[in-house]
């Protein structure tokens, strides 16, 4: 890959050749997260804004010159990326804002943002001739890896907490993965998966461990800016669990700055659930994340439940370096955000996806944003991923169907009730 210079440890700054290290800095063990460093002069010769205008490739591979894959690598056939960016004027005016967009990654092939990373994972695993890929996940990274593997016939083993939503577990089994349901937390599943991959030599896709996942996740930043005709937004709201998505967005935006394709850095707003707010606490109290111990994570937003965010170094840098903020949101407010976002935009998000919108509502309330800012909210997961969660949200906002006998008189009675509403 001539576009890659090296892999840089975010703790000690040491550089490694990609052929020499697969995952983390040998000197810093599992915490030694690496960042892929690129040669932007080479990249600038391979990809241009003008060239993109004529590109017929409407997937993440549109930006292949900026990704850690060989120019002639075989790419998985599922259509990952280039998800819609919806202008949301009614929701904007409800919040007193002038310009708001919803980027809907619920529209990915396995219905979450994680497809962006898993698409890169199957290419990297094929490069290594891996017989098995493995990952630990709260559910979506698993479903994404599972689906992408199915698309290329790649064997895989998946570790998820047994509490993962049924729809996500169904996806894994339908796609034919070997599924290990761990009677413990996501953090337990992560450790077990790590041990298994070291013991058996399986290729590991784990978030915040495999340096290339952040590279897949950066592609939404390119899409947002291109969809806004390279006029970068002022802020991007995104929910944060392990921190790989927000770290990836930051990386993508830094790439665009390095290429001179955007002229200002959007502020990144990281939204955490109050019951899983490691990064919010670390940011607010200026704590050292290399020594801060894990917390006991608990939230209805299963996709952002992480006691020890694995990509915490990149995630904290993303907010600090862009002059953004972390915001912590109570579970009930996350749940209420599901129907509120859906009713104003037609976008049905799972709890972790709606959390980003709940974060925007809180930011408006606290006057952290001004009315004339251009704001993007990222929906990271489809609402159909967690029907039990959606039903709970409807309970909270007291939305019920009308249950009637199959006759017109019964219907008339219901309709008459609406008139007096
Ligand atoms: C994984 C996930 C997130 C959080 O991403 P991190 O990289 O773990 O911070 C948010 N929303 C959904 C739907 C997810 O699946
Ligand atoms: Zn190091």
């Amino acid at each position: 890959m001539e576009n890659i210079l090296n892999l840089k440890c975010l703790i000690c700054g040491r550089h490694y050749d990609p052929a020499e290290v697969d995952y983390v800095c040998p000197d810093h063990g599992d915490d030694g997260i690496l960042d892929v460093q690129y040669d932007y002069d080479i990249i600038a010769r391979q990809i241009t804004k003008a060239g993109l205008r004529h590109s017929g490739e409407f997937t993440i591979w549109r930006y292949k010159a900026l990704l850690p894959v060989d120019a002639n690598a075989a790419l998985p056939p599922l259509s990952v990326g280039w998800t819609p960016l919806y202008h949301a004027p009614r929701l904007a005016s409800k919040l007193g804002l002038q310009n708001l967009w919803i980027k809907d990654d619920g529209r990915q092939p396995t219905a979450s943002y994680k497809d962006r990373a898993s698409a890169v994972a199957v290419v990297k695993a094929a490069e290594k001739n891996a017989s098995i890929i493995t990952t630990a996940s709260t559910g979506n990274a698993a479903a994404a890896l599972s689906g992408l593997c199915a698309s290329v016939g790649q064997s895989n083993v998946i570790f998820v907490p047994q509490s993962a939503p049924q729809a996500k577990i169904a996806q894994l089994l339908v796609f034919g993965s070997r599924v290990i349901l761990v009677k413990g937390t996501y953090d337990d599943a992560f450790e077990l998966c790590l041990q298994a991959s070291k013991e058996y030599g399986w290729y590991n896709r784990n978030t915040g461990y495999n340096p290339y996942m952040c590279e897949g996740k950066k592609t939404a930043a390119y899409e947002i800016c291109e969809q806004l005709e390279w006029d970068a937004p002022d802020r991007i709201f995104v929910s944060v669990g392990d921190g790989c998505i927000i770290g990836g967005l930051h990386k993508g935006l830094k790439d665009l700055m390095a290429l001179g394709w955007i002229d200002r850095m959007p502020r990144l707003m990281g939204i955490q659930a109050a019951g899983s707010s490691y990064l919010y606490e670390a940011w607010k109290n200026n704590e050292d994340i290399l020594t801060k111990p894990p917390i006991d994570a608990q939230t209805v937003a299963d996709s952002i439940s992480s006691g020890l965010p694995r990509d915490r170094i990149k995630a904290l840098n993303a907010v600090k370096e862009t002059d953004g903020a972390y915001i912590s949101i109570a579970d009930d407010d996350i749940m209420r955000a599901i129907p509120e976002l859906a009713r104003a935009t037609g976008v049905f998000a799972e709890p972790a996806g709606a959390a980003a919108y709940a974060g925007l509502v809180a930011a408006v309330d606290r006057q952290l944003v001004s009315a004339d800012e251009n704001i993007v909210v990222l929906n990271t997961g489809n609402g159909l991923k967690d029907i039990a969660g959606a039903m709970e949200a409807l309970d909270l906002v007291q939305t019920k169907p009308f249950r009637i006998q199959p006759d017109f008189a019964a219907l008339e009675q219901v309709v008459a009730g609406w008139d007096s509403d």
Side-chain angles (χ1 to χ4, degrees):
M1 274 138 277
E2 57 162 9
N3 59 348
I4 296 183
L5 290 171
N6 52 55
L7 305 177
K8 178 183 168 191
C9 173
L10 290 184
I11 298 178
C12 66
R14 248 187 89 178
H15 292 150
Y16 297 94
D17 188 297
E20 154 190 30
V21 171
D22 284 334
Y23 307 114
V24 287
C25 171
D27 290 346
H28 286 98
D30 297 344
D31 289 333
I33 295 177
L34 300 174
D35 184 40
V36 184
Q37 310 280 302
Y38 292 90
D39 183 328
Y40 294 104
D41 292 333
I42 289 181
I43 290 171
R45 274 181 251 130
Q46 295 172 345
I47 187 170
T48 61
K49 282 186 188 177
L52 284 172
R53 241 192 316 278
H54 301 109
S55 168
E57 181 65 68
F58 292 104
T59 68
I60 60 169
W61 307 115
R62 179 178 185 83
Y63 309 104
K64 195 161 78 175
L66 282 148
L67 292 171
V69 299
D70 263 326
N72 50 7
L75 303 172
L78 287 186
S79 183
V80 174
W82 202 256
T83 53
L85 182 73
Y86 298 121
H87 198 210
R90 275 182 305 122
L91 191 54
S93 69
K94 194 174 156 195
L95 294 172
L97 299 170
Q98 285 160 22
N99 272 310
L100 174 62
W101 288 267
I102 311 292
K103 173 82 169 162
D104 186 14
D105 261 49
R107 290 276 302 267
Q108 296 280 11
T110 78
S112 88
Y113 197 99
K114 300 296 196 296
D115 287 335
R116 295 180 185 275
S118 291
V120 173
V122 297
V123 176
K124 298 309 280 183
E127 237 175 57
K128 298 268 164 205
N129 290 315
S131 53
I132 289 181
I133 312 188
T134 189
T135 196
S137 163
T138 56
N140 282 338
L145 185 63
S146 189
L148 267 298
C149 281
S151 81
V152 296
Q154 165 76 55
S155 295
N156 61 95
V157 179
I158 306 282
F159 296 80
V160 285
Q162 67 171 358
S163 59
Q166 287 295 299
K168 298 181 186 179
I169 294 173
Q171 283 183 292
L172 304 175
L173 296 167
V174 164
F175 288 132
S177 297
R178 291 202 176 97
V179 181
I180 312 287
L181 285 188
V182 179
K183 297 179 181 174
T185 61
Y186 164 58
D187 301 282
D188 296 327
F190 192 101
E191 293 302 335
L192 196 56
C193 174
L194 212 54
Q195 200 182 341
S197 72
K198 287 174 186 169
E199 197 72 32
Y200 302 122
W202 298 341
Y203 187 79
N204 196 312
R205 178 231 178 269
N206 276 8
T207 295
Y209 180 73
N210 185 317
Y212 302 108
M213 299 306 93
C214 176
E215 302 305 304
K217 287 183 178 171
K218 73 185 181 180
T219 52
Y222 304 157
E223 292 174 18
I224 289 168
C225 292
E226 190 176 358
Q227 286 166 323
L228 294 174
E229 286 163 20
W230 304 112
D231 184 15
D234 295 299
R235 279 178 214 266
I236 302 174
F237 285 75
V238 60
S239 67
V240 177
D242 274 327
C244 188
I245 296 180
I246 197 167
L249 290 170
H250 187 212
K251 178 66 174 287
L253 294 166
K254 283 190 289 187
D255 286 346
L256 297 179
M257 292 288 286
L259 288 169
W261 289 9
I262 57 173
D263 55 15
R264 63 172 188 279
M265 179 57 91
R267 294 174 170 193
L268 292 172
M269 306 292 283
I271 314 306
Q272 294 217 282
S276 176
S277 56
Y278 185 105
L279 284 161
Y280 165 74
E281 285 170 22
W283 172 77
K284 195 178 67 151
N285 305 323
N286 214 6
E287 292 172 294
D288 178 3
I289 48 169
L290 294 179
T291 55
K292 181 177 166 62
I295 59 168
D296 187 16
Q298 214 136 39
T299 167
V300 287
D302 64 290
S303 301
I304 49 172
S305 183
S306 173
L308 183 67
R310 301 290 166 167
D311 236 338
R312 54 197 181 282
I313 301 178
K314 291 180 188 174
L316 203 58
N317 286 347
V319 163
K320 284 187 172 170
E321 289 174 16
T322 64
D323 196 19
Y326 272 102
I327 296 177
S328 149
I329 303 288
D331 273 0
D332 276 3
D333 291 333
I334 291 177
M335 292 314 248
R336 270 190 270 270
I338 296 174
E340 192 173 314
L341 174 66
R343 289 166 192 190
T345 61
V347 173
F348 179 15
E350 69 162 269
Y357 169 67
L360 171 61
V361 174
V364 168
D365 269 357
R366 296 175 208 169
Q367 299 181 317
L368 297 179
V369 301
S370 56
D372 61 352
E373 289 184 36
N374 290 338
I375 291 172
V376 171
V377 170
L378 204 53
N379 171 34
T380 42
N382 196 297
L384 294 174
K385 289 268 197 176
D386 186 359
I387 289 302
M391 293 306 269
E392 243 177 78
L394 293 171
D395 249 11
L396 261 180
V397 300
Q398 300 184 332
T399 301
K400 283 197 290 280
F402 301 93
R403 217 175 280 274
I404 63 166
Q405 293 301 323
D407 65 62
F408 197 73
L411 178 63
E412 276 186 306
Q413 216 173 2
V414 169
V415 175
W418 295 347
D419 296 336
S420 59
D421 271 355

